[in-house]
């Protein structure tokens, strides 16, 4: 399908980017509106910070309008809707088999017209606080927060995306509106719609749904990172211990180079500890891991790290094994030219396979626009990666000073 995809784009006078990928014959239409603002964007400079969780709070409350909830409007037009907040982005979406343009109007109304009141903010505090308390009982979530706190001590990324019970009390209708107007500026957002749609009709809908006037911009400053933490552990009432090994990569890469680097890091990790690797089998045979074992590579503007985690009955051995293996890895022997080409082809195949899914296409396009990367050029990006680049990156990444860990010990063990 890669050769058949066409991406149409128009930048509105406000700076709002509108992107469509027509898929003639497809019944499903998927659309996402995304803003380049997430949970880590809290540093206003001069010692001023937004409350933790404010991006997530806005995500929740934008659905509230005078006298109705936007999800009800989507349902009237036959669409499923949702939203999510990540470390660096917030997204609002719908998927439907009918009425794509009516649903697009609803999506634009959702992101363009905030309605924050003392009453609806107060009621939302309780709802989000319940969500936070629920996650506190989930060992996977607790472990992720703990290892992030080691990778980036006292940084917003180590806080729950939803905030805390304390930070929720600092969120009010005034700072919600000020933050919305600063971070939901049209030039800080994009809209992607994928399906059997007409681009001219899409542009017409957008032109009839102008954003409210925005306040002058307050620049969100970069967070200054403290040295990586030494690691740690705590106990939790769980049936089996869990362990996370973290690698922080301090890099100045941005845009295209950063996206390329994420693919390089994934190639390295898949080669060394992927399910088809010899090392994965060795760790399994040593009873260090089970089928919960996984790794996650994150390469965002300002943040680049890898987390390897899973359930284990031998958390200390798990940590020692990974540290020793990464420091003394034999990637240059394992990653032959033939194996490298197979991994590259697998990555290209995964990209092509995802093009059968309108939601996968839309979400990737929306995200990559903020990195000035053309989704349709990802095959060229993958083909530009050389074996030498991969081997050099492994030498840069696997250094003892980049490593940390966290063990979540089953209570009583």
């Amino acid at each position: 399908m890669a050769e058949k995809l066409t991406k149409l784009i128009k930048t509105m006078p406000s700076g709002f980017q509108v992107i469509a990928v027509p898929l003639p014959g497809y019944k499903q239409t998927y659309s996402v509106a995304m803003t380049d603002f997430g949970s880590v964007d809290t540093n206003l400079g001069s010692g001023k910070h937004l409350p933790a969780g404010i991006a997530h709070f806005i995500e929740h409350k934008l659905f509230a309008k005078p006298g109705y909830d936007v999800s009800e409007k989507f349902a009237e037009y036959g669409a499923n809707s949702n939203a999510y907040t990540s470390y660096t982005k917030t997204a609002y979406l719908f998927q439907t088999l009918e009425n794509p343009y009516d649903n697009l109007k609803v999506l634009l109304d959702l992101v363009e017209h905030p309605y924050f009141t003392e009453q609806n903010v107060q009621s939302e505090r309780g709802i989000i606080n319940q969500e936070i308390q629920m996650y506190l009982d989930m060992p996977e979530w607790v472990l992720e927060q703990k290892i992030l706190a080691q990778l980036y001590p006292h940084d917003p990324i180590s806080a729950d995306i939803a905030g805390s019970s304390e930070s929720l009390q600092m969120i009010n209708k005034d700072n919600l509106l000020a933050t919305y107007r600063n971070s939901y500026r049209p030039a800080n957002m994009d809209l992607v719609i994928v399906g059997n749609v007409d681009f001219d009709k899409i542009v017409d809908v957008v032109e009839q749904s102008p954003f409210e006037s925005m306040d002058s911009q307050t620049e969100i400053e970069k967070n200054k990172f403290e040295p990586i933490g030494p690691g740690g552990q705590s106990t939790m009432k769980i049936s089996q211990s869990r362990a996370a090994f973290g690698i922080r990569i301090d890099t100045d890469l941005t845009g295209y180079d950063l996206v390329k680097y994420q693919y390089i890091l994934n190639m390295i990790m898949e080669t060394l500890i992927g399910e088809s690797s010899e090392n994965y089998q060795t760790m399994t045979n040593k009873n260090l891991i089970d089928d919960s074992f996984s790794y996650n590579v994150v390469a965002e503007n300002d943040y680049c790290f890898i987390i390897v985690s899973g359930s284990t009955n031998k958390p200390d051995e798990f940590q020692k094994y990974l540290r020793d293996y990464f420091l003394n890895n034999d990637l240059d022997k394992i990653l032959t030219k033939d194996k490298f080409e197979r991994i590259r082809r697998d990555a290209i195949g995964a990209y092509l396979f995802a093009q059968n899914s309108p939601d996968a296409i839309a979400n990737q396009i929306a995200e990559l626009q903020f990195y000035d990367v053309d989704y349709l050029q990802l095959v060229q990006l993958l083909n530009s990666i050389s074996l030498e680049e991969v081997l050099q990156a492994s030498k840069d990444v696997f250094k003892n000073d980049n490593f940390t860990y966290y063990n979540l010990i089953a209570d009583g063990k």
Side-chain angles (χ1 to χ4, degrees):
M1 180 179 287
E3 297 179 357
K4 299 179 182 178
L5 287 184
T6 300
K7 188 178 77 171
L8 305 173
I9 183 168
K10 181 178 178 64
T11 301
M12 310 304 289
S14 63
F16 188 48
Q17 288 192 319
V18 181
I19 304 157
V21 178
L23 297 179
Y26 265 65
K27 294 185 179 300
Q28 183 189 108
T29 297
Y30 183 99
S31 184
V32 58
M34 186 176 290
T35 183
D36 193 16
F37 173 68
S39 67
V40 301
D41 299 315
T42 60
N43 186 5
L44 299 178
S46 302
K48 298 180 180 179
H49 293 83
L50 295 169
I54 196 167
H56 176 260
F57 209 111
I58 291 174
E59 174 219 311
H60 273 230
K61 289 320 300 172
L62 276 187
F63 279 83
K65 305 301 179 188
Y68 69 97
D69 187 281
V70 173
S71 58
E72 299 168 359
K73 293 289 185 180
F74 280 121
E76 287 179 18
Y77 291 117
N80 293 320
S81 61
N82 209 337
Y84 63 86
T85 305
S86 70
Y87 301 130
T88 60
K89 309 289 186 296
T90 311
Y92 304 83
L93 56 97
F94 74 81
Q95 56 185 19
T96 186
L97 298 176
E98 55 187 335
N99 305 313
Y101 307 109
D102 289 320
N103 281 301
L104 180 57
K105 291 177 184 178
V106 176
L107 180 63
L108 292 170
D109 176 52
L110 165 60
V111 299
E112 292 175 357
H113 302 113
Y115 178 66
F116 307 132
T117 68
E118 290 291 358
Q119 183 177 1
N120 68 25
V121 170
Q122 178 60 32
S123 63
E124 196 64 37
R125 285 197 194 100
I127 294 171
I128 295 178
N129 190 49
Q130 288 180 342
E131 181 181 328
I132 293 170
Q133 299 309 312
M134 178 184 68
Y135 280 111
L136 287 173
D137 292 328
M138 300 173 61
E140 299 88 352
W141 178 91
V142 172
L143 184 63
E144 180 178 344
Q145 302 309 125
K146 296 290 189 181
I147 190 64
L148 285 171
Q150 293 295 324
L151 287 166
Y152 298 95
H154 307 109
D155 188 86
I157 202 170
S158 65
D160 187 342
I161 287 175
S164 64
S165 298
E166 293 74 23
S167 70
L168 290 179
Q169 299 304 314
M170 301 168 62
I171 296 174
N172 56 56
K173 69 178 183 67
D174 295 327
N175 56 24
L176 282 172
L177 185 59
T179 303
Y180 165 84
R181 287 182 168 167
N182 188 60
S183 301
Y184 283 69
R185 291 170 289 104
N188 202 44
M189 300 184 68
D190 61 27
L191 169 76
V192 182
I193 185 165
V194 179
N196 191 5
V197 291
D198 182 283
F199 189 55
D200 289 336
K201 290 184 179 180
I202 293 167
V203 172
D204 184 58
V205 170
V206 174
E207 288 178 338
Q208 294 180 41
S209 303
F211 276 86
E212 292 184 353
S213 60
M214 296 291 175
D215 294 341
S216 59
Q217 178 184 357
T218 299
E219 189 69 30
I220 299 292
E221 295 193 359
K222 290 185 177 182
N223 297 311
K224 296 179 180 179
F225 301 141
E226 297 182 10
I228 194 168
Q233 70 177 38
S234 59
T235 60
M236 186 175 183
K237 291 184 178 180
I238 48 179
S239 59
Q240 187 178 22
S241 297
R242 299 186 68 89
F245 186 88
I247 307 170
R248 186 171 110 184
I249 306 148
D250 294 327
T251 175
D252 294 327
L253 296 176
T254 59
Y256 180 95
D257 294 331
L258 184 61
V259 173
K260 181 178 178 179
Y261 194 56
Q262 181 170 29
Y263 277 106
I264 289 173
L265 294 177
N266 271 302
M267 288 178 174
I268 292 171
M269 300 306 291
E270 186 61 26
T271 303
L272 294 179
I273 62 172
E275 288 188 12
S276 62
S277 69
E278 182 178 327
N279 191 54
Y280 183 94
Q281 191 59 50
T282 299
M283 295 186 74
T284 301
N285 293 339
K286 290 177 175 289
N287 294 318
L288 297 180
I289 63 173
D290 59 19
D291 58 8
S292 68
F293 180 77
S294 65
Y295 68 85
N296 184 33
V297 175
V298 173
E300 299 270 13
N301 289 328
D302 306 327
Y303 294 92
C304 187
F305 59 89
I306 302 169
I307 295 176
V308 184
S309 63
S311 298
T312 178
N313 292 319
K314 304 175 180 179
D316 291 334
E317 291 181 41
F318 173 98
Q319 302 291 0
K320 184 178 186 307
Y321 184 94
L322 286 175
R323 185 179 292 268
D324 291 345
Y325 180 71
F326 286 143
L327 287 175
N328 302 287
N329 74 83
D330 49 0
L331 183 66
D332 56 341
K333 296 178 182 177
I334 300 173
L335 195 57
T336 62
K337 287 185 178 180
D338 287 344
K339 186 172 181 63
F340 172 67
E341 289 302 326
R342 287 200 299 273
I343 291 175
R344 195 214 307 267
R345 287 196 297 270
D346 286 345
I348 292 174
Y351 162 74
L352 296 175
F353 181 78
Q355 292 185 4
N356 291 311
S357 170
D359 58 325
I361 297 171
N363 284 314
Q364 273 213 284
I365 289 177
E367 181 91 20
L368 290 173
Q369 282 296 120
F370 295 116
Y371 297 88
D372 296 321
V373 174
D374 185 348
Y375 170 76
L376 299 184
Q377 301 300 313
L378 283 183
V379 171
Q380 290 89 324
L381 182 151
L382 286 164
N383 281 325
S384 75
I385 298 172
S386 69
L387 175 58
E388 290 71 26
E389 285 178 300
V390 176
L391 295 176
Q392 183 58 52
S394 72
K395 295 176 183 177
D396 297 335
V397 167
F398 296 128
K399 297 178 180 179
N400 200 54
D401 288 346
N402 293 348
F403 298 163
T404 189
Y405 74 94
Y406 202 88
N407 292 332
L408 200 58
I409 306 300
D411 192 31
K413 296 185 179 180

